[in-house]
Amino acid sequence: QTILDFHALNNTRAESQKTRAADYTYQNARDIVVLVCANLYLQSVAGASRVQAAEAQVTTAQAIYDRAADLKKAGVVPGIDVLRAQVELQAQQQRLIFFRNEYQKQKLNLARAIGLPIGQEFTLTDAIPYAPMPPMTLEQAVGRAYLSRSDFQAAKAQVRAAESAKKAARGDALPSLHFNGDYGDIGNVPGQSHGTFTVAATLKIPLFQGGKVHGEMLQADARLEQRKSELEDLRARIAYEVQTAMLDLKSSGDRVQVAQSARNLANEQVRQAQDRFSAGVVNSIEVVQAEDALATADENYISSLYAYNVAKASLARALGVAEKAYKQFIGGGK
């Protein structure tokens, strides 16, 4: 039994810290998996929204075409208006076909990422509408990230492991104390045997290991400095990632508000253009232009909402709480 060995003691501490670093690295990998799957889910939700918007635009274009055909039969509008409405209808039908195909591919990507069996049918249950984030200052976010980020905790554990490894290298030059004991039974037959034992204590004093210990200490010191540099680089990168995520969140949130207002205006524009066309005040050009404006407004809103939700997921990852709190972040809860 070793009674006192500074080299072995500090080596044990170093390996213990490496084990903790491995646990933190595992948790960090789980956070990355959550971010990837959340992003793919949000892409699929955006794809579903584009399909719904395209279906509504096809319905509107069909109604305009039917109305134009009826007005032509009544002799109110020329044939060019019917032709123009038919072209717009077919254009919207093409967009719908494209978005349906993209949506199915996005669902396949999601199914592959989460490990669903090939051919497994599934339905997205969470529409994930717009939900504002609770207020949080940059200082609060960065401080929370330093406490919660698993990769940062892993880097700190690696620094502690390197410090213990350096102490272990220094321990090779220090004396070590060992205890040796043995107990047995000796004799020709069991009834005439008696016990035998030996006990010894050994003090080991290294005398000619100065060069070896010096070299090991230089190596350990270099590894320690490397780990410290990695830790400081990660500290700066975390602050950058948090600040970037918060900037993206602010910008995309403002875009959602503007896009929502623009979509409401575009819907009103389509309604008024339809009424004016039905009343014979204008031809179908104004209606087609209003429909195109609505399609653009819908796409801007869907894209900005997707960007906003991705920014929230990225912020959760930057804070190191992707697995624990991504639902609250996406849903806007605390």
Side-chain angles (χ1 to χ4, degrees):
Q1 175 66 44
T2 301
I3 299 177
L4 182 61
D5 189 333
F6 293 102
H7 175 76
L9 177 64
N10 287 294
N11 263 342
T12 302
R13 292 173 177 172
E15 295 304 319
S16 175
Q17 292 298 330
K18 289 180 181 179
T19 301
R20 295 186 63 185
D23 292 337
Y24 285 126
T25 301
Y26 169 72
Q27 182 58 48
N28 183 61
R30 292 179 64 93
D31 279 352
I32 294 175
V33 169
V34 170
L35 178 63
V36 171
C37 292
N39 189 20
L40 291 174
Y41 191 93
L42 292 172
Q43 283 184 359
S44 299
V45 169
S49 299
R50 290 186 174 96
V51 170
Q52 293 173 0
E55 288 174 345
Q57 288 154 13
V58 167
T59 301
T60 301
Q62 183 68 56
I64 294 299
Y65 171 74
D66 294 340
R67 182 59 177 165
D70 293 340
L71 292 176
K72 179 179 180 298
K73 291 178 181 179
V76 178
V77 299
I80 185 64
D81 283 333
V82 179
L83 181 61
R84 189 181 295 118
Q86 186 176 9
V87 170
E88 179 65 15
L89 172 60
Q90 291 181 350
Q92 296 299 338
Q93 289 172 339
Q94 288 179 341
R95 293 181 68 251
L96 177 58
I97 294 171
F98 172 78
F99 285 135
R100 280 176 174 170
N101 183 63
E102 290 297 306
Y103 175 51
Q104 293 302 321
K105 291 193 294 184
Q106 289 162 351
K107 288 181 65 178
L108 287 176
N109 290 334
L110 176 61
R112 184 171 180 270
I114 63 180
L116 285 182
I118 297 176
Q120 174 70 54
E121 293 293 332
F122 65 95
T123 303
L124 304 180
T125 59
D126 297 329
I128 311 181
Y130 173 78
M133 276 285 295
M136 180 185 301
T137 66
L138 178 61
E139 291 75 14
Q140 291 173 336
V142 173
R144 184 175 182 181
Y146 288 150
L147 293 176
S148 303
R149 282 282 291 258
S150 298
D151 53 349
F152 187 69
Q153 299 302 321
K156 291 172 67 175
Q158 289 285 5
V159 170
R160 292 192 293 268
E163 291 173 345
S164 296
K166 182 178 179 180
K167 294 178 181 178
R170 186 184 299 113
D172 271 345
L174 301 176
S176 59
L177 181 62
H178 305 268
F179 171 80
N180 298 301
D182 174 81
Y183 180 83
D185 193 64
I186 189 171
N188 294 327
V189 295
Q192 297 179 358
S193 63
H194 59 84
T196 176
F197 65 90
T198 58
V199 178
T202 304
L203 179 64
K204 180 181 177 182
I205 303 176
L207 297 178
F208 305 104
Q209 298 192 44
K212 174 178 176 295
V213 171
H214 180 67
E216 291 178 347
M217 288 186 62
L218 289 178
Q219 291 180 352
D221 189 63
R223 285 192 293 268
L224 176 59
E225 292 303 318
Q226 178 183 356
R227 296 303 185 190
K228 288 182 177 180
S229 298
E230 292 172 350
L231 177 62
E232 292 306 313
D233 178 71
L234 181 58
R235 186 191 302 274
R237 179 154 54 89
I238 288 174
Y240 170 80
E241 290 177 357
V242 171
Q243 188 170 5
T244 300
M246 295 191 71
L247 288 173
D248 290 342
L249 187 64
K250 176 65 169 59
S251 174
S252 58
D254 293 342
R255 286 171 53 197
V256 170
Q257 298 294 332
V258 175
Q260 178 64 60
S261 176
R263 190 170 69 163
N264 293 336
L265 294 174
N267 277 305
E268 179 63 21
Q269 181 182 3
V270 169
R271 188 187 65 79
Q272 292 188 15
Q274 290 175 340
D275 293 342
R276 286 161 60 84
F277 176 68
S278 298
V281 178
V282 297
N283 57 26
S284 60
I285 293 179
E286 183 173 320
V287 180
V288 171
Q289 291 175 340
E291 289 178 340
D292 290 341
L294 177 59
T296 301
D298 281 335
E299 176 59 30
N300 289 339
Y301 177 76
I302 293 170
S303 298
S304 60
L305 180 59
Y306 166 73
Y308 180 67
N309 286 325
V310 167
K312 290 198 288 187
S314 299
L315 179 59
R317 160 60 187 159
L319 296 179
V321 294
E323 182 177 9
K324 298 178 181 178
Y326 78 96
K327 289 184 179 180
Q328 291 83 350
F329 271 69
I330 296 297
K334 296 183 179 180

